[in-house]
């Protein structure tokens, strides 16, 4: 991303391969919905559970800001 002053920041994260990430991420969302039946409507996983959801999945690390 670039701000109005022209400063650039990059965010990186190491994750499991795409197939494993899709499975564990989908299961995490299903688990959340089962345990939070009051959740309704359309939204993204990041809005529903939090932007750091991916960091909690197996094979994932923390966000690194450079």
């Amino acid at each position: 991303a670039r701000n109005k002053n022209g400063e650039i920041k990059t965010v990186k994260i190491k994750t499991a391969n795409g197939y494993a990430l899709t499975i564990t991420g989908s299961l995490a969302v299903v688990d959340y919905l089962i345990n939070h039946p009051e959740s309704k409507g359309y939204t993204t996983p990041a809005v529903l559970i939090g932007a750091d959801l991916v960091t909690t999945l197996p094979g994932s690390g923390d966000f690194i800001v450079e």
Side-chain angles (χ1 to χ4, degrees), residues 34-53:
I34 288 170
N35 291 299
H36 296 86
E38 70 281 359
S39 301
K40 294 181 180 172
Y42 171 81
T43 189
T44 65
V47 170
L48 181 67
I49 302 173
D52 63 343
L53 167 64

Side-chain angles (χ1 to χ4, degrees), residues 17-47:
N17 72 59
Y19 295 109
L21 188 69
T22 299
I23 293 166
T24 58
S26 298
L27 292 174
V29 172
V30 168
D31 183 62
Y32 180 88
L33 292 171
I34 288 170
N35 291 299
H36 296 86
E38 70 281 359
S39 301
K40 294 181 180 172
Y42 171 81
T43 189
T44 65
V47 170

